[in-house]
């Protein structure tokens, strides 16, 4: 467990940056495997998902342990995870990238949204995807899958280190999701990544404007020509960026 608490200031900064910028900033620090592979938005949202990770780990289901009646148990880990994920956090589920069965459906994910979660990420399937996609809360999955989780998955542990889409996720890490997918930001780096990426986004907006006006990339992206840095400084002053 991390002692890090995501501040509103850092959350607001991260909501304005992209997974691409975060991936580059983490790569500069030697972190190459922080993108959750194989997941996509259930439905693209106009907001960026940002929240600390609250995890649920699935293992392969063993038939004698996972009859449908286990859902009657009040301590079933899947249900408990939904009811205990803190406000503003992202429920991150490790399904071993096995999407042949759902990891949750629209009723549970709706409950999660009603409790104020910032989002949900699963490297497995979800059922009732249309209902999940209709929620305001961002959700990411591998694909739609009708079979209940019990057919292939057993929810075994809550808020422990997991793998999600081959990325390591520790409780308290910061999850950032946009239309391209989801990045995992180690908790101890979240504040500095937010600051750095804010500057990166500003410069890339400047670069895009220059390219659209006919400028070439060499010396501009990255900025190796001093005159481009001068132009960028003038652009920032003019635009307030």
């Amino acid at each position: 467990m991390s002692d890090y608490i995501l501040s509103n200031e850092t959350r607001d900064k991260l909501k304005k940056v992209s997974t691409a910028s975060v991936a580059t900033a983490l790569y500069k620090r030697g972190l190459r495997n922080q993108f959750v592979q194989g997941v996509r938005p259930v439905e693209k949202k106009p907001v960026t998902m940002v929240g600390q990770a609250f995890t649920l780990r699935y293992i392969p289901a063993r038939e004698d342990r996972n009859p449908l009646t286990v859902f009657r148990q009040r301590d079933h880990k899947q249900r408990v995870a939904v009811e205990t994920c803190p406000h503003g956090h992202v429920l991150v589920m490790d399904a071993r990238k096995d999407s042949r069965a759902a990891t949750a459906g629209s009723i549970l994910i709706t409950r999660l949204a009603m409790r104020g979660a910032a989002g949900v990420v699963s490297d497995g399937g979800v059922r009732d995807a249309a209902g999940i996609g209709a929620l305001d809360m961002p959700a990411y999955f591998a694909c739609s899958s009708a079979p209940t989780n019990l057919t292939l998955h057993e929810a075994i542990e809550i808020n422990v280190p997991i793998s999600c889409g081959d990325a390591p996720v520790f409780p308290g890490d910061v999850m950032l999701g946009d239309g391209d997918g989801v990045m995992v930001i180690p908790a101890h780096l979240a504040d500095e990544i937010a600051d750095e990426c804010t500057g990166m986004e500003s410069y890339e907006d400047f670069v895009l404007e220059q390219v659209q006006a006919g400028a070439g990339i060499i010396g501009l992206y990255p900025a190796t020509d001093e005159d481009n840095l001068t132009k960028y400084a003038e652009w920032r002053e003019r635009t307030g960026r």
Side-chain angles (χ1 to χ4, degrees), residues 99-232:
S99 59
R100 294 175 297 159
T103 49
S106 63
I107 292 176
L108 269 63
I109 302 305
T110 298
R111 173 60 179 162
L112 193 67
M114 294 296 293
R115 294 190 60 254
V120 60
V121 182
S122 172
D123 64 1
V126 299
R127 64 201 305 192
D128 313 314
I132 295 172
L135 297 171
D136 291 334
M137 183 185 74
Y140 294 80
F141 71 153
C143 66
S144 300
S145 189
T148 180
N149 64 310
L150 299 175
T151 60
L152 288 173
H153 307 303
E154 178 177 348
I156 197 74
E157 283 186 296
I158 295 173
N159 224 28
V160 295
I162 62 170
S163 169
C164 186
D166 292 330
V169 182
F170 291 82
D173 283 349
V174 177
M175 311 298 293
L176 186 145
D178 61 12
D180 287 346
V182 178
M183 289 295 301
V184 185
I185 306 172
H188 68 283
L189 294 175
D191 293 344
E192 64 181 80
I193 292 294
D195 288 338
E196 180 174 329
C197 288
T198 298
M200 288 173 62
E201 295 282 341
S202 170
Y203 185 70
E204 290 189 357
D205 287 346
F206 163 74
V207 168
L208 185 59
E209 186 176 300
Q210 295 297 301
V211 170
Q212 289 171 337
I217 291 298
I218 297 172
L220 173 65
Y221 189 65
T224 55
D225 290 353
E226 189 64 33
D227 61 331
N228 285 320
L229 293 175
T230 300
K231 290 179 183 177
Y232 174 52

Side-chain angles (χ1 to χ4, degrees), residues 91-102:
L91 179 61
V92 187
M93 294 184 278
D94 172 8
R96 313 171 314 283
K97 299 197 300 182
D98 190 340
S99 59
R100 294 175 297 159

Side-chain angles (χ1 to χ4, degrees), residues 74-93:
R74 299 180 68 87
D75 63 350
H76 187 269
K77 293 293 194 297
Q78 182 203 44
R79 267 55 176 176
V80 172
V82 169
E83 291 293 341
T84 57
C85 180
H87 186 280
H89 281 53
V90 175
L91 179 61
V92 187
M93 294 184 278

Side-chain angles (χ1 to χ4, degrees), residues 14-18 45-50 118 138 140 176-178:
L14 289 173
K15 279 183 170 289
K16 298 175 183 176
V17 305
S18 67
K45 303 295 179 184
V47 297
T48 298
M49 180 188 75
V50 178
Y140 294 80
L176 186 145
D178 61 12

